[in-house]
Amino acid sequence: STSATIDLDDESKLADYALSTSAIMCSSQKIENIFGLGKVENIIIEGKKIKTLCVLKGEYKINVFMDKEADHSDILYKINSKPVKLAP
């Protein structure tokens, strides 16, 4: 089974998460250009208590914040195993 929890009670955290993921995506594009890596598809950022999994899938940017001890590989597998469905 799969479950996720979204805590929207603290609006300041939501804004912080949005700003941090925007900065991560911008930094990944700069790293791509500097080191000639080609297109970055997945990024993992680990902090003291949390980690962020950023996935670029087609036109979609998926960001998952989790406890540092959480296993991101299963989440990444599930995201990548699902086809992207575009809205009509």
Side-chain angles (χ1 to χ4, degrees):
S1 96
T2 302
S3 64
T5 302
I6 300 173
D7 182 7
L8 298 178
D9 291 336
D10 188 349
E11 292 181 17
S12 65
K13 280 187 179 181
L14 186 59
D16 290 343
Y17 290 156
L19 288 172
S20 67
T21 55
S22 176
I24 290 167
M25 295 300 178
C26 182
S27 296
S28 74
Q29 291 172 344
K30 289 179 182 178
I31 291 169
E32 287 174 13
N33 294 334
I34 291 171
F35 296 106
L37 298 176
K39 183 156 177 60
V40 172
E41 296 176 358
N42 307 308
I43 304 165
I44 305 259
I45 304 291
E46 291 192 22
K48 291 181 181 180
K49 296 181 181 180
I50 66 167
K51 66 180 164 183
T52 306
L53 168 63
C54 301
V55 180
L56 303 172
K57 187 165 178 162
E59 297 178 26
Y60 299 99
K61 296 174 184 167
I62 303 164
N63 303 294
V64 181
F65 293 85
M66 62 194 87
D67 290 334
K68 187 174 180 177
E69 295 79 26
D71 182 9
H72 64 271
S73 60
D74 188 45
I75 296 168
L76 182 60
Y77 173 78
K78 288 179 181 180
I79 290 171
N80 283 327
S81 66
K82 305 290 182 189
V84 174
K85 294 181 182 178
L86 300 176

